[in-house]
Amino acid sequence: MKRHPYTHTAGARTYRFHDLKDLMAKATPARSGDLLAGVAAHSAEERAVAQMALAEVPLATFLNEALVPYEADEITRLIIDTHDALAFAPVSHLTVGDFRNWLLGDAVDGEALAALAPGITPEMAAAVSKLMRNQDLILVAKKCRVVTRFRNTLGLPGRMATRLQPNHPTDDASGIAASLLDGLLYGSGDAVIGINPATDNVPQVIKLLTMLDDIISQYAIPTQSCVLTHVTNTIEAIHRGAPVDLVFQSIGGTEATNRSFGVSLALLGEARSAALSLARGTLGDNVMYFETGQGSALSAHANFGMDQQTCEARAYAVARRFKPLLVNTVVGFIGPEYLFDGKQIIRAGLEDHFCAKLLGLPMGCDVCYTNHAEADQNDMDVLLTLLGVAGCNFIMGIPGSDDIMLNYQTTSFHDALYARRVLGLRPAPEFEAWLQKMDIFSPDAQFRLNPSLPPAFGKALLRLP
């Protein structure tokens, strides 16, 4: 009798997994979302056995066994149709377990990983991450460098950027401006100055974009702005002549998930073309900003029996298609139904960062949690520090770490300053030079803040809208 391809024996007991999708789910470290979906391992033993069985699966299997049918899902078609066989060749003979060992080897450096990225599918990245301890995820991600440019240079070694997020529950211009000034005075904002609008319509989007553009222009800040509205609103704002730098959109790892967001690959392509037509970048043309998060596919009833981390990794294929400036996982935002506590959030953040970097994405992380999760700011300190060690491209910066519009907890301007100081990380080079020129940072680049309000901003407080 032919042996089922996904079986493994532990002692006197033989475990059988239905297919590759089931094996991947059972091998995933425990998290509440997979339990909710009914795809998680039933015991720690079953999880360990699944990991051992997954380690024996050839990487090439992922090119022949689609987790979501090719005919039914445009993300699967994107993954298969754009796979680079030549880039895959150096590891094409390896199993998932061998691939883990290869990645951890001293002979594999950033140059080798950058060359490999087009040959790795999201499912391969997700599979190998399931065999890794946290330190493995950090070590390999540290080797990966993904550099992008618009008005500054992001992702260089020894640097970590921040998104300045001056949200306000009523889009009050004075409140936004005060938060924005506060963030700049702590050295935040080199990744992007990005607002989640409370009133999500085109006229309001244009108003916020114009406000941000005026501030960036007035102070000659080498950064970019973004209003995190639906992509269709941004396209319309571009048509109306708005000063759009980056196009934002939340994305998922299946066509059905993206349909629930009201987007498709074709629509994202249209948006990128519209943004490129404005030619507002001074150093580069990476004009897209994507956010993702484990649990989005399940919450949309669009996970097709996959575990949430594999679904998340598939979203990175969507992002990779459009050469973004920024991608980040909003890791704890969706809630404890998907990542229950600090331990699960920390693990997920490291997985997401690793998988995205392995696939060649400029990955950041919103180190965050909701107030009904079993997590606190100490957990976020741990994840922030680990991601800083792992070479995360950017994090969030919000006054007091409390987003008063979205009602969740994330990282503050102070947290970003802490990470830069303790890990010796610096802002984007063009932004760092601006901080020194404006007397916000000391000239010696030791992140010492000016003890008094820099002269250029003295009158700004009096002119808040």
Side-chain angles (χ1 to χ4, degrees), residues 432-457:
E432 180 182 28
W434 180 83
L435 291 171
Q436 293 172 343
K437 176 183 176 182
M438 301 299 285
D439 295 322
I440 296 173
F441 276 8
S442 57
D444 58 9
Q446 294 303 306
F447 316 116
R448 286 193 291 270
L449 297 175
N450 191 329
S452 59
L453 189 67
F457 295 98

Side-chain angles (χ1 to χ4, degrees), residues 12 64 76 123 133 168 178 245 253 283 359 399 401 413 454-455:
N64 301 313
T76 299
E123 292 86 351
R133 289 172 54 186
H168 193 276
D245 290 341
L283 297 182
L359 292 166
S401 75
F413 306 139

Side-chain angles (χ1 to χ4, degrees), residues 110-162:
E111 184 177 346
L113 291 173
L116 176 69
I120 298 300
T121 69
E123 292 86 351
M124 294 176 193
V128 75
S129 75
K130 298 175 192 299
L131 307 184
M132 290 179 152
R133 289 172 54 186
N134 287 357
Q135 66 172 251
D136 301 334
L137 299 172
I138 293 168
L139 179 60
V140 177
K142 180 75 170 181
K143 299 180 185 183
C144 300
R145 281 292 159 190
V146 183
V147 177
T148 56
R149 294 177 176 87
F150 189 76
R151 290 201 190 96
N152 57 24
T153 307
L154 302 173
L156 293 171
R159 298 184 183 269
M160 183 177 70
T162 59

Side-chain angles (χ1 to χ4, degrees), residues 342-373:
K343 181 177 181 179
Q344 292 186 9
I345 292 171
I346 290 167
R347 172 70 190 189
L350 295 176
E351 288 170 347
D352 294 350
H353 179 252
F354 161 84
C355 288
K357 283 292 185 64
L358 193 61
L359 292 166
L361 284 178
M363 194 65 173
C365 183
D366 191 343
V367 180
C368 64
Y369 63 101
T370 58
N371 287 313
H372 61 308

Side-chain angles (χ1 to χ4, degrees), residues 337-417:
E337 299 84 1
Y338 306 100
L339 296 169
F340 180 73
D341 56 17
K343 181 177 181 179
Q344 292 186 9
I345 292 171
I346 290 167
R347 172 70 190 189
L350 295 176
E351 288 170 347
D352 294 350
H353 179 252
F354 161 84
C355 288
K357 283 292 185 64
L358 193 61
L359 292 166
L361 284 178
M363 194 65 173
C365 183
D366 191 343
V367 180
C368 64
Y369 63 101
T370 58
N371 287 313
H372 61 308
E374 292 295 323
D376 60 27
Q377 214 63 35
N378 287 323
D379 296 315
M380 300 306 102
D381 288 347
V382 171
L383 179 54
L384 169 61
T385 305
L386 294 177
L387 286 169
V389 173
C392 188
N393 277 35
F394 71 103
I395 59 168
M396 305 298 124
I398 294 178
S401 75
D402 182 9
D403 191 308
I404 59 174
M405 198 279 280
L406 294 174
N407 293 311
Y408 77 115
Q409 308 302 311
T410 181
T411 44
S412 69
F413 306 139
H414 303 75
D415 296 333
L417 198 61

Side-chain angles (χ1 to χ4, degrees), residues 19-34:
D19 51 24
L20 183 56
K21 179 163 50 181
D22 182 44
L23 178 62
M24 293 270 284
K26 296 296 193 297
T28 304
R31 62 206 61 197
S32 51
D34 291 339

Side-chain angles (χ1 to χ4, degrees), residues 100 276 300 341:
R100 172 189 175 274
L276 287 172
D341 56 17

